[in-house]
Amino acid sequence: MFRPLNPLLHSQLRLAVMSILMSVAEADFVYLKEKTASTVGNLSVQLDKLLTAGYITMKRVNAGRNQRTTFRITSRGQEAFEEYVEALKDYIRAGEAGT
């Protein structure tokens, strides 16, 4: 029996954000928007879902007249991401064994 894929991470944009945050110490909103080629509104909604789940943290810093918002992955988020990847590997291995 396969482990179920985490529906929160199964979204293309949320998975992209988590993948990015797994490889950097932190990323700001503009960087995530550019790397994922998403709209401001869609990215904001998906980040809120990850924040609510406790998978990421957010920090706002005033930089002169502008505000910079950065995100970091939490240990809970890292664990969820790693479990998701392992579940995908199970599906891949099963497919390879069937061929």
Coordinates of all heavy atoms in Angstrom, one line a residue:
M1 N 0.8 -1.2 0.0 CA 0.0 0.0 0.0 C 0.9 1.2 0.0 O 1.9 1.3 0.7 CB -0.9 0.0 1.2 CG -2.0 1.0 1.2 SD -3.2 0.6 0.0 CE -4.3 1.9 0.2
F2 N 0.5 2.2 -0.8 CA 1.3 3.4 -0.9 C 0.9 4.4 0.2 O -0.2 4.5 0.6 CB 1.1 4.1 -2.3 CG 1.6 3.3 -3.4 CD1 0.8 2.7 -4.3 CD2 3.0 3.2 -3.6 CE1 1.3 2.0 -5.4 CE2 3.5 2.5 -4.7 CZ 2.7 1.9 -5.5
R3 N 1.9 5.2 0.6 CA 1.6 6.3 1.5 C 0.9 7.4 0.7 O 1.2 7.6 -0.5 CB 2.9 6.9 2.0 CG 3.7 6.1 2.9 CD 4.9 6.9 3.4 NE 6.0 6.5 2.5 CZ 7.3 6.8 2.7 NH1 7.6 7.6 3.7 NH2 8.2 6.4 1.9
P4 N -0.1 8.0 1.3 CA -0.8 9.0 0.5 C 0.1 10.3 0.3 O 0.9 10.6 1.2 CB -2.0 9.4 1.4 CG -1.6 9.0 2.8 CD -0.7 7.8 2.6
L5 N -0.1 10.9 -0.8 CA 0.7 12.2 -1.0 C 0.0 13.3 -0.3 O -1.2 13.4 -0.3 CB 0.7 12.5 -2.5 CG 1.4 11.5 -3.4 CD1 1.3 11.9 -4.9 CD2 2.9 11.5 -3.0
N6 N 0.8 14.1 0.4 CA 0.3 15.2 1.2 C -0.4 16.2 0.3 O 0.2 16.8 -0.5 CB 1.5 15.8 1.9 CG 1.1 17.0 2.8 OD1 0.1 17.7 2.6 ND2 1.9 17.2 3.8
P7 N -1.7 16.3 0.5 CA -2.5 17.2 -0.4 C -2.0 18.7 -0.4 O -2.1 19.4 -1.4 CB -3.9 17.1 0.0 CG -3.9 16.5 1.3 CD -2.6 15.7 1.5
L8 N -1.5 19.1 0.8 CA -1.0 20.5 0.9 C 0.2 20.7 0.0 O 0.4 21.7 -0.6 CB -0.7 20.8 2.3 CG -0.4 22.2 2.7 CD1 -1.6 23.1 2.4 CD2 0.0 22.4 4.1
L9 N 1.0 19.7 -0.1 CA 2.3 19.8 -0.9 C 2.0 19.4 -2.4 O 2.9 19.6 -3.2 CB 3.4 19.0 -0.3 CG 3.8 19.5 1.1 CD1 5.0 18.6 1.6 CD2 4.2 20.9 1.1
H10 N 0.9 18.8 -2.6 CA 0.7 18.3 -4.0 C 0.3 19.4 -5.0 O 0.2 19.1 -6.2 CB -0.4 17.2 -3.9 CG -0.3 16.2 -5.1 ND1 0.8 15.5 -5.4 CD2 -1.3 15.9 -6.0 CE1 0.6 14.8 -6.5 NE2 -0.7 15.0 -6.9
S11 N 0.1 20.6 -4.5 CA -0.2 21.7 -5.3 C 1.2 22.1 -6.0 O 2.2 22.2 -5.3 CB -0.7 22.9 -4.5 OG -0.4 24.1 -5.1
Q12 N 1.1 22.4 -7.3 CA 2.3 22.7 -8.0 C 3.1 24.0 -7.4 O 4.3 23.9 -7.2 CB 2.0 23.0 -9.5 CG 3.2 23.3 -10.3 CD 2.8 23.6 -11.8 OE1 1.7 23.3 -12.2 NE2 3.8 24.1 -12.5
L13 N 2.3 25.0 -7.1 CA 3.0 26.2 -6.6 C 3.5 26.0 -5.2 O 4.6 26.4 -4.9 CB 2.0 27.4 -6.7 CG 2.6 28.8 -6.2 CD1 3.9 29.1 -6.9 CD2 1.5 29.8 -6.5
R14 N 2.7 25.4 -4.3 CA 3.2 25.1 -2.9 C 4.4 24.2 -3.0 O 5.4 24.4 -2.2 CB 2.1 24.6 -2.1 CG 1.0 25.6 -1.8 CD 0.0 25.1 -0.7 NE -0.7 24.0 -1.1 CZ -2.0 24.0 -1.6 NH1 -2.6 25.1 -1.9 NH2 -2.6 22.9 -1.9
L15 N 4.4 23.2 -3.8 CA 5.5 22.3 -3.9 C 6.8 23.1 -4.4 O 7.9 22.9 -3.9 CB 5.2 21.1 -4.8 CG 6.3 20.1 -5.0 CD1 6.6 19.5 -3.6 CD2 5.9 19.0 -5.9
A16 N 6.6 24.0 -5.4 CA 7.7 24.8 -5.9 C 8.3 25.7 -4.8 O 9.5 25.7 -4.6 CB 7.3 25.6 -7.1
V17 N 7.4 26.3 -4.0 CA 7.9 27.1 -2.9 C 8.7 26.3 -1.9 O 9.8 26.7 -1.4 CB 6.7 27.9 -2.2 CG1 7.1 28.5 -0.9 CG2 6.1 28.9 -3.1
M18 N 8.1 25.2 -1.5 CA 8.8 24.3 -0.5 C 10.1 23.8 -1.1 O 11.1 23.8 -0.3 CB 7.9 23.1 -0.2 CG 6.7 23.5 0.6 SD 7.0 24.2 2.3 CE 7.4 22.7 3.1
S19 N 10.2 23.5 -2.3 CA 11.5 23.0 -2.9 C 12.5 24.1 -2.9 O 13.7 23.9 -2.6 CB 11.2 22.6 -4.4 OG 10.3 21.5 -4.5
I20 N 12.1 25.4 -3.2 CA 13.0 26.5 -3.1 C 13.5 26.7 -1.7 O 14.7 26.8 -1.4 CB 12.4 27.8 -3.7 CG1 12.1 27.6 -5.2 CG2 13.2 29.0 -3.3 CD1 11.2 28.7 -5.7
L21 N 12.6 26.7 -0.8 CA 12.9 27.0 0.6 C 13.8 25.8 1.3 O 14.5 26.1 2.2 CB 11.7 27.2 1.5 CG 10.9 28.5 1.1 CD1 9.7 28.6 2.0 CD2 11.8 29.7 1.3
M22 N 13.7 24.6 0.7 CA 14.6 23.5 1.1 C 16.0 23.8 0.8 O 16.9 23.3 1.4 CB 14.1 22.2 0.6 CG 12.9 21.6 1.2 SD 13.1 21.0 2.9 CE 14.1 19.6 2.6
S23 N 16.3 24.6 -0.2 CA 17.6 24.8 -0.7 C 18.3 26.2 -0.3 O 19.4 26.4 -0.7 CB 17.6 24.6 -2.2 OG 16.9 25.6 -2.9
V24 N 17.5 27.0 0.3 CA 18.1 28.3 0.8 C 17.7 28.5 2.2 O 16.8 28.0 2.8 CB 17.5 29.5 -0.1 CG1 17.9 29.3 -1.6 CG2 16.0 29.6 0.1
A25 N 18.5 29.4 2.9 CA 18.3 29.7 4.3 C 17.0 30.5 4.4 O 16.2 30.2 5.3 CB 19.4 30.5 4.9
E26 N 16.7 31.4 3.5 CA 15.5 32.2 3.5 C 15.3 32.8 2.1 O 16.3 32.9 1.3 CB 15.4 33.3 4.5 CG 16.4 34.4 4.3 CD 16.3 35.5 5.3 OE1 15.8 35.2 6.5 OE2 16.7 36.6 5.0
A27 N 14.1 33.1 1.8 CA 13.8 33.7 0.5 C 12.7 34.8 0.7 O 11.8 34.6 1.4 CB 13.3 32.7 -0.5
D28 N 12.9 35.9 -0.1 CA 11.9 37.0 0.1 C 10.8 36.7 -1.0 O 10.9 35.9 -1.9 CB 12.5 38.4 0.0 CG 13.0 38.8 -1.3 OD1 12.7 38.1 -2.4 OD2 13.8 39.8 -1.4
F29 N 9.7 37.5 -0.8 CA 8.5 37.3 -1.6 C 8.8 37.5 -3.1 O 8.4 36.7 -3.9 CB 7.4 38.3 -1.1 CG 6.1 38.1 -1.8 CD1 5.2 37.2 -1.3 CD2 5.8 38.8 -3.0 CE1 4.0 37.0 -2.0 CE2 4.6 38.6 -3.6 CZ 3.7 37.7 -3.1
V30 N 9.6 38.6 -3.4 CA 9.9 38.9 -4.8 C 10.7 37.7 -5.4 O 10.4 37.3 -6.5 CB 10.7 40.2 -4.9 CG1 11.2 40.5 -6.3 CG2 9.9 41.4 -4.3
Y31 N 11.6 37.2 -4.7 CA 12.4 36.1 -5.2 C 11.5 34.9 -5.5 O 11.6 34.2 -6.6 CB 13.5 35.7 -4.2 CG 14.4 34.5 -4.6 CD1 15.4 34.7 -5.5 CD2 14.1 33.2 -4.1 CE1 16.3 33.6 -5.8 CE2 14.9 32.2 -4.5 CZ 16.0 32.4 -5.3 OH 16.8 31.3 -5.7
L32 N 10.6 34.5 -4.5 CA 9.7 33.4 -4.7 C 8.8 33.6 -5.9 O 8.5 32.7 -6.7 CB 8.9 33.1 -3.5 CG 9.7 32.6 -2.3 CD1 8.8 32.6 -1.0 CD2 10.3 31.2 -2.6
K33 N 8.3 34.9 -6.1 CA 7.4 35.2 -7.2 C 8.2 35.0 -8.5 O 7.6 34.5 -9.4 CB 6.9 36.7 -7.0 CG 6.0 37.1 -8.1 CD 5.6 38.5 -7.9 CE 4.8 39.1 -9.1 NZ 5.6 39.1 -10.3
E34 N 9.4 35.5 -8.6 CA 10.2 35.4 -9.8 C 10.5 33.9 -10.1 O 10.3 33.5 -11.3 CB 11.5 36.2 -9.7 CG 11.3 37.7 -9.7 CD 12.5 38.5 -9.4 OE1 13.6 37.9 -9.2 OE2 12.5 39.7 -9.4
K35 N 10.9 33.2 -9.2 CA 11.3 31.8 -9.4 C 10.1 30.9 -9.7 O 10.3 29.9 -10.5 CB 12.0 31.2 -8.2 CG 13.4 31.8 -8.0 CD 14.3 31.4 -9.1 CE 15.7 31.9 -8.9 NZ 16.6 31.6 -10.0
T36 N 9.0 31.2 -9.2 CA 7.8 30.4 -9.5 C 6.9 30.9 -10.6 O 6.0 30.2 -11.1 CB 6.9 30.2 -8.2 OG1 6.4 31.5 -7.9 CG2 7.6 29.6 -7.1
A37 N 7.3 32.1 -11.1 CA 6.5 32.7 -12.2 C 5.0 32.8 -11.8 O 4.1 32.6 -12.7 CB 6.7 32.0 -13.5
S38 N 4.7 33.1 -10.6 CA 3.3 33.2 -10.2 C 2.9 34.6 -10.0 O 3.7 35.6 -10.1 CB 3.2 32.5 -8.8 OG 3.9 33.2 -7.8
T39 N 1.6 34.8 -9.9 CA 1.1 36.1 -9.6 C 1.2 36.5 -8.1 O 1.3 35.6 -7.3 CB -0.4 36.2 -10.0 OG1 -1.2 35.4 -9.2 CG2 -0.6 35.9 -11.5
V40 N 1.1 37.7 -7.8 CA 1.2 38.2 -6.4 C 0.1 37.5 -5.6 O 0.3 37.0 -4.5 CB 1.2 39.7 -6.3 CG1 1.0 40.2 -4.9 CG2 2.4 40.3 -6.9
G41 N -1.1 37.6 -6.2 CA -2.3 37.1 -5.4 C -2.2 35.6 -5.2 O -2.5 35.1 -4.1
N42 N -1.9 34.8 -6.2 CA -1.8 33.4 -6.1 C -0.7 33.0 -5.1 O -0.9 32.1 -4.3 CB -1.6 32.7 -7.5 CG -1.9 31.2 -7.4 OD1 -2.5 30.7 -6.5 ND2 -1.4 30.5 -8.5
L43 N 0.4 33.6 -5.2 CA 1.5 33.3 -4.3 C 1.2 33.6 -2.9 O 1.4 32.8 -2.0 CB 2.8 34.0 -4.8 CG 4.1 33.7 -3.9 CD1 4.4 32.2 -3.9 CD2 5.2 34.6 -4.4
S44 N 0.5 34.7 -2.7 CA 0.1 35.1 -1.3 C -0.8 34.1 -0.7 O -0.7 33.7 0.4 CB -0.6 36.5 -1.3 OG 0.3 37.5 -1.7
V45 N -1.8 33.6 -1.5 CA -2.7 32.6 -1.0 C -2.0 31.3 -0.6 O -2.3 30.7 0.4 CB -3.9 32.3 -2.1 CG1 -4.7 31.1 -1.7 CG2 -4.7 33.6 -2.2
Q46 N -1.1 30.9 -1.5 CA -0.4 29.6 -1.3 C 0.5 29.7 -0.1 O 0.7 28.8 0.7 CB 0.3 29.2 -2.5 CG -0.6 29.0 -3.7 CD -1.9 28.2 -3.5 OE1 -1.9 27.2 -2.7 NE2 -3.0 28.7 -4.0
L47 N 1.2 30.9 0.1 CA 2.1 31.1 1.2 C 1.3 31.1 2.5 O 1.7 30.5 3.5 CB 2.8 32.4 1.1 CG 4.0 32.4 0.0 CD1 4.5 33.8 -0.2 CD2 5.1 31.5 0.4
D48 N 0.1 31.7 2.5 CA -0.8 31.6 3.7 C -1.1 30.2 4.1 O -1.2 29.9 5.3 CB -2.1 32.4 3.4 CG -1.9 33.9 3.5 OD1 -0.9 34.4 4.1 OD2 -2.8 34.7 3.0
K49 N -1.4 29.4 3.1 CA -1.7 28.0 3.4 C -0.5 27.3 4.1 O -0.7 26.5 5.0 CB -2.2 27.2 2.2 CG -3.5 27.7 1.7 CD -4.0 27.0 0.4 CE -5.3 27.5 0.0 NZ -5.9 26.7 -1.1
L50 N 0.7 27.5 3.6 CA 1.9 26.9 4.1 C 2.2 27.5 5.5 O 2.6 26.7 6.4 CB 3.1 27.1 3.2 CG 3.0 26.4 1.9 CD1 4.1 26.9 0.9 CD2 3.0 24.9 2.1
L51 N 1.9 28.8 5.7 CA 2.1 29.4 7.1 C 1.1 28.8 8.1 O 1.5 28.4 9.2 CB 1.8 30.9 7.0 CG 2.9 31.7 6.4 CD1 2.4 33.1 6.0 CD2 4.1 31.9 7.4
T52 N -0.2 28.6 7.7 CA -1.2 28.1 8.5 C -0.9 26.6 8.9 O -1.1 26.2 10.1 CB -2.6 28.1 7.8 OG1 -2.9 29.5 7.5 CG2 -3.7 27.5 8.7
A53 N -0.3 25.9 8.0 CA 0.1 24.5 8.3 C 1.4 24.4 9.2 O 1.7 23.3 9.7 CB 0.4 23.7 7.0
G54 N 2.1 25.6 9.4 CA 3.3 25.5 10.2 C 4.5 25.1 9.4 O 5.5 24.7 10.0
Y55 N 4.4 25.0 8.1 CA 5.5 24.5 7.2 C 6.5 25.6 6.9 O 7.7 25.3 6.6 CB 5.0 24.0 5.9 CG 4.2 22.7 6.0 CD1 3.6 22.1 4.9 CD2 4.0 22.0 7.2 CE1 2.9 20.9 4.9 CE2 3.3 20.8 7.3 CZ 2.8 20.3 6.1 OH 2.1 19.1 6.2
I56 N 6.1 26.9 7.0 CA 7.0 28.0 6.8 C 6.8 29.1 7.9 O 5.7 29.1 8.5 CB 6.9 28.6 5.4 CG1 5.5 29.2 5.2 CG2 7.3 27.6 4.3 CD1 5.4 30.0 3.8
T57 N 7.8 30.0 8.0 CA 7.6 31.1 8.9 C 7.8 32.4 8.0 O 8.4 32.3 6.9 CB 8.6 31.2 10.0 OG1 9.9 31.2 9.5 CG2 8.4 30.0 11.0
M58 N 7.3 33.5 8.5 CA 7.4 34.7 7.7 C 7.9 35.8 8.6 O 7.6 35.8 9.8 CB 6.0 35.1 7.2 CG 5.9 36.4 6.5 SD 4.2 36.9 5.9 CE 3.5 37.3 7.5
K59 N 8.7 36.7 8.1 CA 9.3 37.8 8.8 C 9.2 39.0 7.9 O 9.6 39.0 6.8 CB 10.7 37.5 9.2 CG 11.4 38.6 10.1 CD 12.7 38.1 10.6 CE 13.8 38.9 10.2 NZ 15.1 38.5 10.6
R60 N 8.7 40.1 8.5 CA 8.6 41.4 7.8 C 9.6 42.3 8.4 O 9.7 42.5 9.6 CB 7.2 42.0 7.8 CG 6.2 41.2 7.0 CD 4.9 42.0 6.9 NE 4.0 41.3 6.0 CZ 2.8 40.8 6.3 NH1 2.4 41.0 7.6 NH2 2.1 40.2 5.4
V61 N 10.4 43.0 7.5 CA 11.4 43.9 7.9 C 11.2 45.2 7.1 O 11.0 45.2 5.9 CB 12.8 43.3 7.6 CG1 13.9 44.3 8.0 CG2 13.0 42.0 8.4
N62 N 11.2 46.3 7.8 CA 11.2 47.6 7.1 C 12.5 47.9 6.5 O 13.5 47.9 7.2 CB 10.7 48.7 8.1 CG 9.3 48.6 8.4 OD1 8.5 48.2 7.6 ND2 8.9 48.9 9.6
A63 N 12.6 48.2 5.3 CA 13.8 48.6 4.6 C 13.6 49.9 4.0 O 13.2 50.1 2.8 CB 14.1 47.5 3.5
G64 N 13.7 51.0 4.8 CA 13.4 52.3 4.3 C 12.0 52.5 4.1 O 11.2 52.2 5.0
R65 N 11.6 52.9 2.9 CA 10.1 53.1 2.6 C 9.4 51.8 2.3 O 8.2 51.7 2.2 CB 9.9 54.1 1.5 CG 10.3 55.5 1.9 CD 10.1 56.4 0.7 NE 10.3 57.8 1.1 CZ 10.3 58.8 0.3 NH1 10.1 58.6 -1.0 NH2 10.5 60.0 0.8
N66 N 10.2 50.8 2.0 CA 9.7 49.5 1.6 C 9.7 48.5 2.7 O 10.5 48.6 3.6 CB 10.5 48.9 0.4 CG 10.4 49.8 -0.8 OD1 9.4 50.5 -1.1 ND2 11.5 50.0 -1.5
Q67 N 8.8 47.5 2.6 CA 8.8 46.4 3.5 C 9.3 45.1 2.8 O 8.8 44.8 1.7 CB 7.4 46.2 4.1 CG 7.4 45.3 5.3 CD 6.0 45.2 5.9 OE1 5.1 44.7 5.2 NE2 5.8 45.8 7.1
R68 N 10.2 44.4 3.4 CA 10.7 43.2 2.8 C 10.1 42.0 3.6 O 10.3 42.0 4.8 CB 12.2 43.2 2.8 CG 12.8 42.0 2.2 CD 14.3 42.1 2.1 NE 14.9 41.0 1.5 CZ 15.7 40.1 2.1 NH1 15.9 40.2 3.4 NH2 16.2 39.0 1.5
T69 N 9.5 41.1 2.9 CA 8.9 39.9 3.6 C 9.7 38.7 3.2 O 9.9 38.4 2.0 CB 7.5 39.7 3.2 OG1 6.8 40.9 3.5 CG2 6.8 38.6 4.0
T70 N 10.3 38.0 4.2 CA 11.1 36.8 3.9 C 10.4 35.6 4.6 O 9.6 35.7 5.5 CB 12.5 36.9 4.5 OG1 12.4 37.1 5.9 CG2 13.3 38.0 3.8
F71 N 10.7 34.4 4.0 CA 10.1 33.2 4.4 C 11.2 32.1 4.6 O 12.3 32.1 3.9 CB 9.2 32.6 3.3 CG 8.0 33.6 3.1 CD1 8.2 34.6 2.1 CD2 6.9 33.5 3.8 CE1 7.1 35.5 1.9 CE2 5.8 34.4 3.6 CZ 6.0 35.4 2.6
R72 N 11.0 31.3 5.6 CA 11.9 30.2 5.9 C 11.1 28.9 6.1 O 10.0 29.0 6.6 CB 12.7 30.4 7.2 CG 13.7 31.5 7.2 CD 14.3 31.7 8.5 NE 15.4 32.7 8.4 CZ 16.6 32.5 8.7 NH1 17.0 31.4 9.1 NH2 17.5 33.5 8.6
I73 N 11.7 27.8 5.8 CA 11.0 26.5 6.1 C 11.2 26.1 7.5 O 12.3 26.4 8.1 CB 11.5 25.5 5.1 CG1 10.6 24.3 5.1 CG2 12.9 25.0 5.4 CD1 10.7 23.4 3.9
T74 N 10.2 25.6 8.1 CA 10.3 25.1 9.5 C 10.8 23.6 9.5 O 10.7 22.9 8.5 CB 9.0 25.2 10.2 OG1 8.0 24.4 9.6 CG2 8.5 26.7 10.2
S75 N 11.1 23.1 10.7 CA 11.5 21.7 10.8 C 10.2 20.9 10.5 O 10.4 19.8 9.8 CB 12.0 21.4 12.2 OG 11.0 21.7 13.2
R76 N 9.1 21.3 10.8 CA 7.8 20.6 10.4 C 7.7 20.6 8.9 O 7.3 19.6 8.3 CB 6.6 21.3 11.1 CG 5.3 20.6 10.8 CD 4.2 21.3 11.5 NE 3.0 20.6 11.2 CZ 1.8 20.9 11.7 NH1 1.7 21.9 12.6 NH2 0.7 20.3 11.4
G77 N 8.0 21.7 8.3 CA 7.9 21.8 6.8 C 8.9 20.9 6.1 O 8.6 20.2 5.1
Q78 N 10.1 20.8 6.7 CA 11.2 20.0 6.2 C 10.8 18.5 6.2 O 10.9 17.8 5.3 CB 12.5 20.2 6.9 CG 13.2 21.5 6.6 CD 14.4 21.7 7.5 OE1 14.5 21.2 8.6 NE2 15.3 22.5 7.0
E79 N 10.2 18.2 7.4 CA 9.8 16.8 7.6 C 8.6 16.4 6.6 O 8.7 15.4 6.0 CB 9.3 16.6 9.0 CG 8.9 15.2 9.3 CD 8.5 15.0 10.8 OE1 9.3 15.5 11.7 OE2 7.4 14.5 11.0
A80 N 7.7 17.3 6.4 CA 6.6 17.1 5.5 C 7.1 16.9 4.1 O 6.6 16.1 3.3 CB 5.5 18.2 5.6
F81 N 8.0 17.8 3.7 CA 8.6 17.8 2.3 C 9.3 16.5 2.1 O 9.2 15.8 1.1 CB 9.5 19.0 2.1 CG 10.1 19.0 0.7 CD1 9.4 19.6 -0.3 CD2 11.3 18.5 0.4 CE1 9.9 19.7 -1.6 CE2 11.9 18.6 -0.8 CZ 11.1 19.2 -1.9
E82 N 10.2 16.1 3.1 CA 10.9 14.8 2.9 C 10.0 13.6 2.9 O 10.2 12.7 2.1 CB 11.9 14.7 4.1 CG 13.0 15.7 4.0 CD 13.9 15.8 5.2 OE1 13.6 15.2 6.3 OE2 14.8 16.6 5.2
E83 N 8.9 13.6 3.6 CA 7.9 12.5 3.6 C 7.2 12.5 2.2 O 7.0 11.4 1.7 CB 6.9 12.6 4.7 CG 7.4 12.3 6.1 CD 6.4 12.6 7.2 OE1 5.2 13.0 6.9 OE2 6.8 12.5 8.3
Y84 N 6.9 13.7 1.7 CA 6.3 13.7 0.4 C 7.3 13.2 -0.7 O 6.8 12.4 -1.6 CB 6.0 15.2 0.0 CG 5.3 15.4 -1.3 CD1 3.9 15.3 -1.3 CD2 6.0 15.7 -2.4 CE1 3.2 15.5 -2.5 CE2 5.3 15.9 -3.6 CZ 3.9 15.8 -3.7 OH 3.3 16.0 -4.8
V85 N 8.5 13.5 -0.6 CA 9.5 13.0 -1.6 C 9.6 11.5 -1.5 O 9.7 10.8 -2.5 CB 10.9 13.7 -1.4 CG1 12.0 13.0 -2.3 CG2 10.7 15.2 -1.8
E86 N 9.7 11.0 -0.3 CA 9.8 9.6 -0.1 C 8.5 8.8 -0.6 O 8.7 7.8 -1.2 CB 10.0 9.2 1.4 CG 11.4 9.5 1.9 CD 12.5 8.9 1.0 OE1 12.4 7.7 0.8 OE2 13.5 9.6 0.7
A87 N 7.4 9.4 -0.5 CA 6.1 8.8 -1.0 C 6.2 8.8 -2.5 O 5.8 7.8 -3.2 CB 4.9 9.6 -0.5
L88 N 6.7 9.9 -3.1 CA 6.9 9.9 -4.6 C 7.8 8.8 -5.0 O 7.6 8.1 -6.1 CB 7.4 11.3 -5.1 CG 6.4 12.4 -5.1 CD1 7.1 13.7 -5.5 CD2 5.3 12.1 -6.1
K89 N 8.9 8.6 -4.3 CA 9.9 7.6 -4.7 C 9.3 6.2 -4.6 O 9.6 5.4 -5.5 CB 11.1 7.7 -3.7 CG 12.0 8.8 -4.0 CD 13.2 8.8 -3.0 CE 14.1 10.0 -3.2 NZ 15.2 10.0 -2.2
D90 N 8.4 6.0 -3.6 CA 7.7 4.7 -3.6 C 6.9 4.5 -4.9 O 6.9 3.4 -5.4 CB 6.7 4.7 -2.4 CG 7.5 4.6 -1.0 OD1 8.7 4.3 -1.0 OD2 6.8 4.8 0.0
Y91 N 6.2 5.5 -5.3 CA 5.4 5.4 -6.5 C 6.3 5.1 -7.7 O 6.0 4.3 -8.6 CB 4.6 6.6 -6.8 CG 3.3 6.7 -6.0 CD1 3.3 7.4 -4.8 CD2 2.1 6.1 -6.4 CE1 2.2 7.6 -4.0 CE2 1.0 6.2 -5.6 CZ 1.0 6.9 -4.4 OH -0.1 7.0 -3.6
I92 N 7.4 5.8 -7.8 CA 8.4 5.6 -8.9 C 9.0 4.2 -8.9 O 9.0 3.5 -9.9 CB 9.5 6.7 -8.8 CG1 8.9 8.1 -9.1 CG2 10.6 6.3 -9.8 CD1 9.8 9.2 -8.8
R93 N 9.4 3.7 -7.7 CA 9.9 2.4 -7.6 C 8.9 1.3 -8.0 O 9.2 0.4 -8.7 CB 10.4 2.1 -6.2 CG 11.8 2.8 -5.9 CD 12.3 2.3 -4.6 NE 11.6 2.9 -3.4 CZ 12.0 4.0 -2.8 NH1 13.0 4.7 -3.2 NH2 11.3 4.5 -1.8
A94 N 7.6 1.5 -7.6 CA 6.6 0.6 -8.0 C 6.4 0.6 -9.5 O 6.2 -0.5 -10.1 CB 5.3 0.9 -7.3
G95 N 6.5 1.7 -10.1 CA 6.3 1.8 -11.5 C 7.5 1.1 -12.3 O 7.3 0.4 -13.3
E96 N 8.7 1.3 -11.7 CA 9.8 0.7 -12.4 C 9.8 -0.8 -12.2 O 10.2 -1.6 -13.1 CB 11.1 1.2 -11.7 CG 11.4 2.7 -12.1 CD 12.5 3.3 -11.3 OE1 13.0 2.7 -10.3 OE2 13.0 4.4 -11.7
A97 N 9.3 -1.3 -11.1 CA 9.2 -2.7 -10.8 C 8.2 -3.4 -11.7 O 8.3 -4.6 -12.1 CB 8.9 -3.0 -9.4
G98 N 7.2 -2.6 -12.1 CA 6.1 -3.1 -12.9 C 6.5 -3.2 -14.4 O 5.7 -3.8 -15.2
T99 N 7.6 -2.6 -14.8 CA 8.0 -2.6 -16.2 C 8.9 -3.7 -16.5 O 9.5 -4.3 -15.8 CB 8.6 -1.3 -16.6 OG1 9.7 -1.0 -15.8 CG2 7.5 -0.2 -16.6

